[in-house]
Amino acid sequence: MEDLIEDFLKYLELEKKYSLNTIENYERDLRDYSNYLYNKKKKYNDIMYNDVTDYLIHLSGEKLKATSINRHLSSVRSFYNYLIKKKVISFSPFKSISGPKREQKLPNYLKYEEFLDLLEACDETDLGIRNRLILELLFATGLRVSELVSVKLKDIGFKEREIKIIGKGNKTRIVYFNLTTQKLISKYVTEARQNILNGRHNDYLIVNHLGNKITRRGIADILEKLIKKSSIKHKISPHTLRHTFATLLLNEGMDIREVQELLGHARLSTTSIYTHVSNEELRRVYLKSHPRAHKKP
């Protein structure tokens, strides 16, 4: 089975053109499944529907969230579909199996005043200017953190105030930034970034203190430190700024399909969760504003 997993991962990389992060998730899930089969003394081509049920029970026993269980199932299902395609097996026991329903949680987002509070936590050092740019770009564009760390200088249209992004599934889209962000990018690129690099070369826009391409973990650590310096008390992550971007645009009346395009969502249903946040904001404003909202009957 190990050789088949390796072949499948190469197929995802070379033919499907999946990102390294996605392939790593597939590999982790399939290694877990392979270990499970080994412990059960089962072979991948000897699995029946009742074995799949046992595997689901096993995943539930690991106290995984519904999203994690569904991801495991999706990985294994894709692996079996690949084996059918290569005529290694004739049917997949995972074909008709569905996982637990995901709990629909409203995305966490920042109020505009909280975002300004985060900006205030950035100092005027070279790294402070870089940190401010990270916040401004995430807030202005709605980029995924994985997309932001992959932005190269050549991807930026300074005059047009736009950035070419290679998103999930290697799909290209254009995102836009405002005049404030444009001025900050110019200041960072011509001054702070040059000082951080100290003569070294790097194609990527955002660099760490060593002059290397910054990582997603690096951005999360930066945000965590800024939160501690701010007055924000609730838990937020870099992805919170993406949620904030989408929520604010919808609250200001932008069409949901336009927001979908900016976010790079393949399905409109993924974007529609932000309408629930907007509707909640609408309810709050109504209860605050309507003259009879607080009067008892």
Side-chain angles (χ1 to χ4, degrees):
M1 182 174 174
E2 296 303 314
D3 290 342
L4 291 172
I5 290 176
E6 289 297 330
D7 290 343
F8 175 61
L9 296 175
K10 288 179 182 177
Y11 163 76
L12 296 181
E13 177 187 3
L14 301 176
E15 293 192 37
K16 301 295 285 184
K17 306 295 184 184
Y18 283 180
S19 69
L20 179 61
N21 183 57
T22 300
I23 293 171
E24 286 175 351
N25 285 333
Y26 271 98
E27 181 175 13
R28 187 163 48 247
D29 294 342
L30 290 173
R31 299 295 180 203
D32 287 345
Y33 177 63
S34 178
N35 290 334
Y36 170 80
L37 293 181
Y38 177 80
N39 292 330
K40 288 288 184 179
K41 295 180 171 56
K42 291 277 187 179
K43 294 183 178 180
Y44 72 92
N45 56 354
D46 194 30
I47 299 298
M48 305 302 291
Y49 289 115
N50 59 314
D51 297 311
V52 177
T53 302
D54 290 340
Y55 178 58
L56 271 173
I57 294 172
H58 161 74
L59 291 176
S60 300
E62 294 292 311
K63 296 182 179 179
L64 298 176
K65 293 181 179 179
T67 49
S68 296
I69 292 175
N70 284 322
R71 194 198 70 215
H72 275 76
L73 284 177
S74 177
S75 296
V76 178
R77 187 183 295 114
S78 296
F79 174 64
Y80 274 87
N81 288 341
Y82 169 78
L83 295 182
I84 291 174
K85 180 179 179 180
K86 293 297 181 180
K87 298 183 179 179
V88 177
I89 58 176
S90 58
F91 85 103
S92 169
F94 285 85
K95 182 178 180 180
S96 303
I97 300 296
S98 57
K101 289 185 177 180
R102 292 185 296 176
E103 182 182 354
Q104 188 92 342
K105 290 184 178 180
L106 291 179
N108 185 26
Y109 68 101
L110 288 174
K111 295 178 181 177
Y112 183 58
E113 293 75 17
E114 291 176 319
F115 171 71
L116 295 178
D117 194 8
L118 272 181
L119 291 180
E120 287 294 321
C122 300
D123 57 38
E124 291 303 314
T125 63
D126 294 327
L127 292 177
I129 293 170
R130 179 207 60 186
N131 295 346
R132 179 184 291 268
L133 178 61
I134 289 171
L135 295 176
E136 288 282 9
L137 277 172
L138 290 174
F139 184 76
T141 63
L143 288 177
R144 301 176 179 94
V145 178
S146 58
E147 295 170 340
L148 176 60
V149 300
S150 298
V151 171
K152 296 181 179 180
L153 289 175
K154 67 180 180 63
D155 298 326
I156 305 172
F158 288 92
K159 284 187 177 180
E160 301 83 1
R161 299 208 298 267
E162 63 184 35
I163 307 174
K164 184 176 75 172
I165 300 297
I166 307 297
K168 284 188 175 181
N170 280 326
K171 292 182 179 178
T172 303
R173 74 181 192 279
I174 301 295
V175 298
Y176 306 95
F177 51 88
N178 51 54
L179 187 60
T180 300
T181 308
Q182 182 189 41
K183 291 179 179 178
L184 187 55
I185 291 177
S186 296
K187 182 178 181 179
Y188 166 73
V189 169
T190 57
E191 299 174 20
R193 186 175 181 276
Q194 298 282 16
N195 294 335
I196 296 171
L197 287 175
N198 193 25
R200 290 163 293 197
H201 175 76
N202 196 306
D203 291 330
Y204 292 93
L205 172 65
I206 308 296
V207 295
N208 64 18
H209 66 289
L210 298 174
N212 299 320
K213 174 188 175 184
I214 201 165
T215 63
R216 290 182 298 166
R217 180 66 255 176
I219 288 184
D221 288 342
I222 289 168
L223 182 59
E224 190 175 328
K225 291 174 183 176
L226 292 176
I227 292 169
K228 289 179 180 178
K229 292 173 67 175
S230 74
S231 60
I232 298 172
K233 302 302 179 185
H234 57 94
K235 185 177 179 180
I236 64 173
S237 70
H239 212 65
T240 303
L241 289 165
R242 180 169 163 87
H243 298 327
T244 304
F245 169 83
T247 303
L248 290 178
L249 290 182
L250 287 169
N251 280 341
E252 290 299 317
M254 180 175 277
D255 185 88
I256 188 172
R257 293 187 183 278
E258 295 169 341
V259 177
Q260 175 193 7
E261 190 71 24
L262 289 172
L263 291 173
H265 285 159
R267 294 185 296 273
L268 188 63
S269 58
T270 308
T271 316
S272 66
I273 187 172
Y274 296 106
T275 63
H276 299 306
V277 179
S278 299
N279 289 339
E280 183 59 30
E281 177 70 9
L282 190 62
R283 177 180 180 277
R284 185 189 66 78
V285 173
Y286 166 77
L287 292 176
K288 180 181 177 181
S289 306
H290 196 280
R292 297 183 66 82
H294 302 288
K295 291 186 178 182
K296 295 181 180 179

